[in-house]
Amino acid sequence: MPSTRRTLLRSVGATGVSVALAGCSQLSRLRGPDEPPPSGVDRLPDPGNSARGATGEWSTFGCNAANTREVGDGEAPVDGVTERWRVEVPQFTNQAPVVAGGRVYQPDADTLRVLDAAEGTELWTVEGVGTVPLIWNDIAYVSTGSAIRALEADTGEQLWERELETPGRVTVPSTRAEEQLICGAGERVVALDPADGTIRWDREVFGQVQDHPAIFMAHWFVIATQAGMVYLLGMDGMGGRRWQLPAEPTAPPSADTDSVYVNCRDGTTYALMDDGVGLSDSGINWRVDTGWADRGIAVADGLVLVANGQELQAVDTKSGERHWEYDIGDWRHTAPAYGRDTVFVGGDRLHALDPTPGDSPDGGPAVRFEREFAGRVGPGPVLDDGTIYVVAQVNDETYALLALE
């Protein structure tokens, strides 16, 4: 960002105040943001007919089955935000919530807290669950580390539990239209029946399976392991492709209709193809030095968006060209979320950016608004029903989960 614009942002930003910056492009070399599309969509996506398995809610770690972190309901605040409620959370909270069915699911150490999305009041809690769940049809599927449980979303009542004997960890499941639940159990991939947890099939892989497999092309499950392996498995568990990456993935994979995107601990983001073409016929289309992205990457509008603890980077999904970098401050527990042609990300404040001003990423990003708090912003943000949910430092000693609209 040019120094003149940074100086302007610093001078007009004040703690607890949203600053709308549309129309001030003449003060810098950056274009101003484009007019966002109208709020909402004519029809919510059908997860059974969507390549991304989107439901219109932020119902899993990466929003949808493909982990793209792009909302499907077409709703997001683009002109600034006001606070609807806040709930205090521990300082060391490092996971963003999921939000679905009017409920917010926020991990708190080894307890999952479930809050009313409208008011922030606590509805129920469950101990022994330290990760975000998968929400589908008013059922929360959670991992205890050794088992998968199905809980009633409105009460927390347990419907069933499936213990999986393994020397490793049982991971949070993924699904495509609730056809089956796919989770890791140590170095095994296991498919469960959503109705009762019956095991349908399992398959051995190399390395501890990581949380939140992605769906690719509505057919393949993308499985990443701590050994740097990435597998494409069909709905019956049959293998379609595998890659050996040089380092452990930092976060769950993401996918669009062309590629699978994986960020690794060597500081590189990889675009993987399933057709055997690319670098050295390895099925790697491109690789870009982006830094780590611990909390996930976003894939939207032809861009892979990576927040690496210092800056947000936009990389072309087709070519791997880096279109822009944007300083977000020194904080790694944030990841981009996308809605209404706007990317939201934390860091030293909440940033809302137009990634493609003038319908081109080459001039981006352009600032829509910023919101400062007492300190760092993240984990999150996530989006649901036009509301941003994010953890932020709200005074010297207090951290809170905020609902901003």
Side-chain angles (χ1 to χ4, degrees):
M1 173 180 287
S3 59
T4 55
R5 190 176 187 86
R6 174 60 67 188
T7 302
L8 170 68
L9 298 184
R10 296 300 187 199
S11 63
V12 300
T15 300
V17 177
S18 296
V19 183
L21 294 170
C24 66
S25 58
Q26 70 271 19
L27 299 178
S28 78
R29 291 173 291 172
L30 292 178
R31 296 180 179 133
D34 296 336
E35 186 70 21
S39 180
V41 293
D42 293 335
R43 182 181 301 173
L44 289 175
D46 177 359
N49 294 319
S50 167
R52 294 174 173 82
T55 65
E57 299 181 301
W58 200 288
S59 56
T60 186
F61 167 87
C63 182
N64 50 49
N67 288 335
T68 65
R69 302 186 66 83
E70 178 182 6
V71 293
D73 63 3
E75 298 190 23
V78 295
D79 297 316
V81 289
T82 57
E83 182 178 320
R84 189 166 76 214
W85 54 255
R86 67 173 62 181
V87 173
E88 189 170 343
V89 297
Q91 176 180 352
F92 298 107
T93 298
N94 59 16
Q95 295 184 69
V98 300
V99 187
R103 304 174 190 89
V104 181
Y105 300 80
Q106 177 65 57
D108 185 346
D110 65 348
T111 299
L112 180 65
R113 302 172 65 187
V114 182
L115 311 173
D116 180 85
E119 300 179 354
T121 53
E122 188 169 278
L123 301 175
W124 53 270
T125 64
V126 58
E127 296 183 355
V129 176
T131 54
V132 294
L134 163 70
I135 311 300
W136 200 275
N137 285 343
D138 288 328
I139 298 176
Y141 298 99
V142 303
S143 171
T144 66
S146 61
I148 298 295
R149 292 179 186 167
L151 309 176
E152 286 276 8
D154 57 349
T155 64
E157 178 184 354
Q158 182 173 308
L159 301 175
W160 55 259
E161 180 178 58
R162 173 61 59 184
E163 291 277 350
L164 296 172
E165 296 183 3
T166 174
R169 184 174 58 88
V170 174
T171 68
V172 181
S174 296
T175 191
R176 178 186 176 273
E178 209 178 19
E179 295 167 347
Q180 54 190 341
L181 304 176
I182 302 297
C183 66
E187 297 191 0
R188 295 163 51 213
V189 180
V190 182
L192 304 178
D193 188 323
D196 57 12
T198 301
I199 296 177
R200 292 183 175 176
W201 54 261
D202 70 86
R203 176 185 171 126
E204 290 187 1
V205 293
F206 179 59
Q208 164 71 54
V209 176
Q210 295 187 320
D211 287 298
H212 313 292
I215 298 294
F216 178 52
M217 292 293 290
H219 177 72
W220 302 104
F221 288 101
V222 185
I223 309 296
T225 78
Q226 292 179 357
M229 297 297 297
V230 179
Y231 299 83
L232 293 185
L233 300 183
M235 297 296 174
D236 57 0
M238 296 297 293
R241 188 66 194 266
R242 67 179 179 182
W243 297 265
Q244 173 68 70
L245 299 180
E248 175 185 353
T250 60
S254 301
D256 60 14
T257 55
D258 296 311
S259 299
V260 173
Y261 306 94
V262 184
N263 179 269
C264 290
R265 296 198 181 280
D266 60 355
T268 302
T269 298
Y270 298 85
L272 310 179
M273 307 288 286
D274 71 341
D275 56 6
V277 300
L279 299 176
S280 303
D281 292 329
S282 63
I284 299 177
N285 188 36
W286 50 256
R287 62 188 75 186
V288 176
D289 181 9
T290 57
W292 290 13
D294 300 60
R295 301 301 150 196
I297 60 179
V299 181
D301 203 14
L303 299 173
V304 178
L305 297 159
V306 181
N308 62 18
Q310 298 287 336
E311 59 195 10
L312 178 67
Q313 299 188 15
V315 178
D316 192 279
T317 56
K318 300 289 188 183
S319 67
E321 176 188 0
R322 193 186 342 257
H323 288 291
W324 50 258
E325 301 172 340
Y326 184 83
D327 179 23
I328 61 172
D330 185 12
W331 182 245
R332 67 187 182 90
H333 293 297
T334 185
Y338 186 92
R340 289 187 69 192
D341 289 357
T342 304
V343 57
F344 303 86
V345 69
D348 58 2
R349 62 194 68 201
L350 176 65
H351 305 263
L353 310 170
D354 177 356
T356 57
D359 288 330
S360 171
D362 294 329
V367 180
R368 293 201 189 279
F369 71 85
E370 294 183 333
R371 172 73 180 255
E372 285 190 343
F373 299 91
R376 52 82 165 167
V377 177
V382 305
L383 289 163
D384 186 74
D385 198 23
T387 300
I388 296 172
Y389 299 89
V390 68
V391 174
Q393 183 178 358
V394 293
N395 62 42
D396 289 344
E397 298 181 352
T398 305
Y399 297 77
L401 172 63
L402 304 168
L404 306 172
E405 57 187 3

